[in-house]
Amino acid sequence: MHHKPEDLNFSLYVSYSQVAVYDASLENPFNSWTPELVHQGFTWREGATSFRTINEDGTLHVAVRIVDQHHEAAETVRGIRVPFTVPSNGEIEVGSITGGKSFLIPAGDYSLFFETWTENDEMWCMLTFCTSFSAAPEIFKCDDVLTPAKPLQMGAQPA
């Protein structure tokens, strides 16, 4: 079942502190987490990125959107930007070990923004595909859990 991103709001059960965004055709969409990657809060390789969630497990409420310019959400406590290339078929999936949701967005290069926070003991995240592309990763909002080293590590290995 494919959804249009403009009405893509869903909940997902996350485990192992991660939510992944990946090319839906990948056989092994999850990345290995080294200690350095855990400290920086994300893993990245071409076609697959994972973000560290605030809680180790639980329900994550997800909103996906496509924009021309990114504006940080006021609630954001952890914000990360990575480059992301949507494949020619446009098929992307957002998932966890327990399952995921796939949808179509226009193929091309995006800056993918991950913003997360908790509200009433529930985890929330916004995944924003921004057409203003930057190849550089950035932690634009760092909470006290992340202790990233410089430079940020890219080129994760499949799990």
Side-chain angles (χ1 to χ4, degrees), residues 24-89:
S25 69
L26 281 183
E27 226 172 275
N28 299 308
F30 298 102
N31 295 336
S32 289
W33 290 82
T34 62
E36 295 78 21
L37 297 175
V38 170
H39 291 308
Q40 75 180 14
F42 73 95
T43 69
W44 183 95
R45 68 182 155 105
E46 195 62 49
T49 188
S50 294
F51 299 103
R52 184 173 166 192
T53 55
I54 291 175
N55 300 334
E56 186 176 336
D57 52 44
T59 300
L60 178 69
H61 302 286
V62 181
V64 177
R65 59 193 190 136
I66 301 174
V67 299
D68 293 328
Q69 289 295 323
H70 174 257
H71 299 285
E72 186 180 317
E75 306 87 352
T76 300
V77 298
R78 181 181 300 165
I80 299 169
R81 182 192 73 213
V82 296
F84 194 89
T85 300
V86 174
S88 56
N89 67 5

Side-chain angles (χ1 to χ4, degrees), residues 3-12 19-22 51 60-67 70 84 86 90-95 100-106 110-115 117 124-130:
H3 297 268
K4 292 194 183 100
E6 56 265 28
D7 41 48
L8 198 59
N9 292 295
F10 58 93
S11 295
L12 185 64
V19 61
V21 181
Y22 50 88
F51 299 103
L60 178 69
H61 302 286
V62 181
V64 177
R65 59 193 190 136
I66 301 174
V67 299
H70 174 257
F84 194 89
V86 174
E91 233 180 296
I92 293 299
E93 191 160 328
V94 173
K101 173 136 343 235
S102 60
F103 52 95
L104 296 169
I105 66 174
Y110 293 86
S111 289
L112 173 57
F113 290 85
F114 167 78
E115 296 174 77
W117 61 92
W124 296 81
C125 90
M126 186 155 25
L127 294 166
T128 305
F129 289 85
C130 182

